[in-house]
Amino acid sequence: SCKQTETGSVLNRLREIVGASTNWSDHQQAMAERGSLSSMLAKSQGDLPPKGMKDSYLEVHLPLGSEPQLREKYLTFHNTVRFGRILEDLDSLAVLISYSHTFNTALKRSPLSIVTALVDKIDMRHHVIYPDCDVKFTGHVTWVGKTSIEAKMHMSQYRDGAYAPVLDATFVMVARDPENKRAAFVNPLRPDGPEEEKLFQEGEANKLRRVELSTASLLKVAPTDEERKIVHSLFLNTLDTKTVSFRSRVLPPNSVWMEDAKLKGLEICHPQERNIFNRIFGGFLMRKAYELGWANACAFGGCRPRLVAVDDILFQKPVEIGSLLLLSSQVCYTEGNYIQVRVHSEVFDPLTRQHKTTNVFHYTFVSDRDVPNIIPKTYGESMLYLDGKRHFNQTVGH
């Protein structure tokens, strides 16, 4: 029973599931009423029936080829497809897949608030997305924890009479209570057959890898021996041989200081960008961060870079409507013609003057020519450099 739909109807289906309205004032009222759904939440995971991977399988079409009027929203100035828009579609699809997994036929509405916790990985299989060919997204749940769901999605495009792969994406979603205040249980997943078993084991391995990475984070643990040597040799390369002092630093040839490879942006979070829970839609944040990161890589490499991978987008806090969203991107590592960019997003409340980090994004771009080396000056920048190198190695697989 393959559930097919078009991208436009995905949001409408999500609104039905949570009882949200498209109109801002009605919407606030509908959200206030959601609190009453709390009594429908399961007390434990054992109270929920297990589901199979097929239960959440979805196929969504984006008819860029057959419906030219759709294209405008998806096009860049160079007549290529805006990858930021694809990120928005993947985010909505991951939410709908998660709702399909937790669907309860007896209830008209879902008491769960499902939000994006993490974009584990997006791997590009094909660098070009054509603006005039139909797109197909497919996906389903591949692993669940007690309150979290991993959804894997594939995007393909119709070329020369067949669908060819464009990208693979893995998102981790978390279920919360109706008011999005605390975690809520999700249905267990029962893999069926060796292929599904393998996907489930991969999901388990992904979870362990994330735990390992966060415990080995450079914010908590000193760099490895090898990494310390890298930092020291970067430092030695910038010493001025004439003065032989720790203070005076010289930029090596074909290099750029890290502090000169930044780009900042600001977004005012209007109601239009809200998700069905009155927070700012994760896909919108991903699109804005991607566009800023791309612009930074473009300015740094002096050409139009192509995306290789998106890695580890962590959503730490929801972004409220009315917030000022400050985005800052930094080229933090380069190798050959690759550019690793980190985008940090924080919310600034102008009244309390408080800053809170909401997300960190990691992007790997490739340029059509070699790019300058990036050189850290301070210890903090050296840690960003090593963190960028770790992400790069994980993505490009050294």
Side-chain angles (χ1 to χ4, degrees), residues 151-292:
K152 270 199 184 350
M153 293 163 290
H154 306 282
M155 173 182 168
S156 50
Q157 200 162 26
Y158 196 72
R159 295 272 300 159
D160 307 324
Y163 277 100
V166 176
L167 64 80
D168 300 321
T170 308
F171 279 48
V172 179
M173 317 304 283
V174 289
R176 323 261 305 158
D177 71 341
E179 295 170 281
N180 197 0
K181 288 186 175 155
R182 55 190 174 81
F185 294 108
V186 298
N187 300 62
L189 179 66
R190 191 185 285 145
D192 176 21
E195 212 168 293
E196 290 193 0
E197 194 60 58
K198 185 168 171 271
L199 282 173
F200 191 82
Q201 293 307 327
E202 278 170 19
E204 196 64 43
N206 285 342
K207 183 202 167 181
L208 294 173
R209 176 178 54 80
R210 286 193 295 271
V211 171
E212 232 167 77
L213 277 176
S214 75
T215 48
S217 160
L218 289 163
L219 291 167
K220 301 177 189 166
V221 188
T224 64
D225 265 0
E226 193 186 331
E227 287 175 329
R228 286 199 277 266
K229 286 182 183 129
I230 292 170
V231 169
H232 198 67
S233 70
L234 280 167
F235 172 69
L236 293 179
N237 278 343
T238 63
L239 287 183
D240 185 348
T241 47
K242 290 193 274 306
T243 58
V244 199
S245 139
F246 283 137
R247 284 259 170 80
S248 60
R249 310 281 291 276
V250 178
L251 190 62
N254 187 31
S255 299
V256 174
W257 289 121
M258 197 185 261
E259 63 189 16
D260 297 329
K262 284 188 167 109
L263 201 57
K264 298 201 166 191
L266 162 79
E267 288 297 325
I268 297 172
C269 301
H270 296 295
Q272 183 197 355
E273 314 305 347
R274 70 181 187 271
N275 62 14
I276 45 185
F277 307 115
N278 272 0
R279 297 284 183 29
I280 292 297
F281 167 47
F284 169 76
L285 299 176
M286 282 193 250
R287 172 162 67 85
K288 288 297 174 186
Y290 168 76
E291 287 171 354
L292 184 71

Side-chain angles (χ1 to χ4, degrees), residues 355-374:
H355 289 256
K356 280 189 197 133
T357 296
T358 57
N359 300 70
V360 181
F361 303 83
H362 300 273
Y363 304 102
T364 310
F365 292 101
V366 65
S367 159
D368 54 12
R369 61 190 94 151
D370 278 0
V371 297
N373 296 317
I374 198 93

Side-chain angles (χ1 to χ4, degrees), residues 39 49 64 87 135 148 177 183 212 236 240 281 310 319 329 396:
S39 59
L64 291 178
L87 283 173
V135 166
S148 57
D177 71 341
E212 232 167 77
L236 293 179
D240 185 348
F281 167 47
V310 177
V319 177
S329 75
V396 181

